[in-house]
Amino acid sequence: MIQRNETATRADVVIAGAGIIGLATALALADAGLHVVVFERGTAMSESSWAAAGMLAGCDPENPAALRELSLLSLALYPEFLARIEELSGETIPLRTRQTLQGTDHLPFDLRALKAAEAEALAPGLRTGGQSFTLLDEHSLDPRDLGQALPAAARAAGVELHEGVAVNAVHSGGDGVVVETTAGPLTARHFVNAAGAWAGSPGTSAGASLPVAPRKGQMLAVELPGEVQLRCVLRTPELYIVPRGGGRYVIGATVEDLGFDKQVFPAQIDALLASAATLWTPLRGARIVETWAGLRPGTADGLPVIDRVAPGILVAAGHFRNGILLAPATARAVRELIGGRRPAVELSAFRANRFDGMKDAETGQA
């Protein structure tokens, strides 16, 4: 059982990062009775969480197999997660779609391929391009709805959220940690690195070598007039088209290793729209209304890091494309680790030290 420490430290838990992973974790810990302080270098929910498409893609055949158990737990937790946010914030977070039409070149054995007529009935104007399509029971939401509600919910639960404050260094020792920030130091029993694409920075990673790096994704939103509209997400390994309602669609996304660059290039946006319109022909009449780029926190194997890396120091980062999906289960796992309980799912695939052999190979060390 987690016990709140009232006297020994200024906080029970300090979290770096106020994206969906950091704030979901903060909310879970605050609901367990802990005093939680979150530092965000910019504005809460303004980086990859804001930029995401919002697909709860727990059954995406392109996901690494090692994500499946964590994904299924997160999907099971999502109704309770959204209800708690809505209760605390007073904001509604509607589900925008409830199915996904998934295209793939290699359909897993446990999924049924739709007949061409079935697929085209779900997406009139679909051009399969020789791919097989299947229908997944998968929801999506608008991350910008979460961006409004989750910070308010965390604060209502008692979380101290400090925006515009960066973590510069973390020192582990004694009965807790000292967190050095641009607003001064703070002591705590535990520190959680949930800094997203910035999680591998020397200060935030508490001196450890944490190979989390930004993976740039350019995206666009379009408006489509007329009677022919999609009611489900349309996704292939190369792109996705996510309905937002009212004839608005999100289309994405590139995957680029360009550091922290978030510049949007019209040629790549045009290429994304052209590919989407080739897949679903009604988009030929769509109008671009917004473009943006986000920085996904990626790792070499596409899996997150959810682990205790030093006494009092934990990491919850590197969720790449699946931060929105995996937030409730990640928050549950961190709460269990801090509380000294066995996590509900096996976390060995997400240990930070899994990259050690890779680093040795790169440097030629034995």
Side-chain angles (χ1 to χ4, degrees):
M1 181 69 179
I2 299 175
Q3 297 295 325
R4 176 169 175 170
N5 186 337
E6 298 286 355
T7 59
T9 60
R10 292 267 315 272
D12 290 309
V13 184
V14 170
I15 298 175
I20 190 170
I21 298 297
L23 288 182
T25 300
L27 181 56
L29 293 170
D31 280 348
L34 298 188
H35 174 206
V36 184
V37 178
V38 179
F39 294 112
E40 165 56 48
R41 56 182 296 279
T43 303
M45 296 290 288
S46 66
E47 292 291 348
S48 60
S49 299
W50 175 89
M55 296 175 288
L56 304 184
C59 298
D60 186 344
E62 301 299 320
N63 283 345
L67 275 183
R68 185 164 179 81
E69 187 180 9
L70 190 69
S71 298
L72 293 178
L73 173 62
S74 221
L75 289 172
L77 294 173
Y78 237 97
E80 175 187 348
F81 176 61
L82 293 181
R84 180 62 172 150
I85 295 171
E86 292 177 351
E87 173 191 10
L88 289 166
S89 70
E91 301 279 348
T92 300
I93 306 169
L95 294 175
R96 301 290 179 158
T97 63
R98 295 180 181 272
Q99 292 179 309
T100 291
L101 186 58
Q102 173 75 48
T104 180
D105 295 324
H106 305 286
L107 193 68
F109 72 90
D110 58 339
L111 296 177
R112 181 182 74 87
L114 298 176
K115 296 178 181 178
E118 292 177 304
E120 290 168 10
L122 291 165
L126 174 69
R127 297 292 180 265
T128 64
Q131 295 187 93
S132 296
F133 280 81
T134 190
L135 189 62
L136 302 177
D137 181 15
E138 175 187 295
H139 298 164
S140 75
L141 49 78
D142 188 340
R144 299 183 189 183
D145 294 335
L146 272 175
Q148 291 290 325
L150 184 51
R155 286 187 166 111
V159 174
E160 292 185 33
L161 172 56
H162 301 277
E163 298 174 287
V165 179
V167 172
N168 293 329
V170 183
H171 311 288
S172 177
D175 295 329
V177 296
V178 177
V179 183
E180 305 284 350
T181 79
T182 52
L186 183 69
T187 57
R189 294 168 60 198
H190 306 276
F191 171 77
V192 180
N193 178 355
W198 288 262
S201 64
T204 308
S205 58
S209 180
L210 186 65
V212 176
R215 301 287 187 268
K216 178 181 176 180
Q218 297 183 58
M219 302 170 64
L220 67 151
V222 301
E223 287 183 352
L224 178 65
E227 295 296 323
V228 177
Q229 301 286 341
L230 270 179
R231 306 302 175 196
C232 62
V233 171
L234 179 56
R235 186 173 63 221
T236 71
E238 292 77 32
L239 61 88
Y240 49 75
I241 304 166
V242 182
R244 287 280 193 257
R248 189 179 178 97
Y249 297 85
V250 168
I251 301 169
T254 65
V255 181
E256 306 167 61
D257 292 325
L258 292 174
F260 291 94
D261 169 58
K262 292 199 291 183
Q263 186 175 356
V264 175
F265 293 95
Q268 289 174 290
I269 294 296
D270 290 344
L272 274 173
L273 180 55
S275 295
T278 298
L279 177 64
W280 188 51
T281 57
L283 286 177
R284 293 171 183 168
R287 179 176 67 91
I288 297 175
V289 294
E290 186 181 1
T291 61
W292 67 94
L295 301 176
R296 312 175 189 90
T299 64
D301 59 7
L303 299 175
V305 178
I306 307 171
D307 196 10
R308 187 186 303 276
V309 297
I313 298 177
L314 299 94
V315 176
H319 291 72
F320 192 39
R321 298 174 181 269
N322 289 301
I324 302 294
L325 164 67
L326 296 174
T330 300
R332 172 73 62 88
V334 171
R335 189 178 73 185
E336 289 164 341
L337 289 171
I338 286 177
R341 290 175 292 172
R342 182 175 180 176
V345 298
E346 174 58 51
L347 299 178
S348 58
F350 313 128
R351 289 176 180 156
N353 65 6
R354 72 184 187 269
F355 301 106
D356 291 349
M358 188 182 306
K359 290 182 293 182
D360 290 346
E362 291 173 353
T363 59
Q365 297 176 3

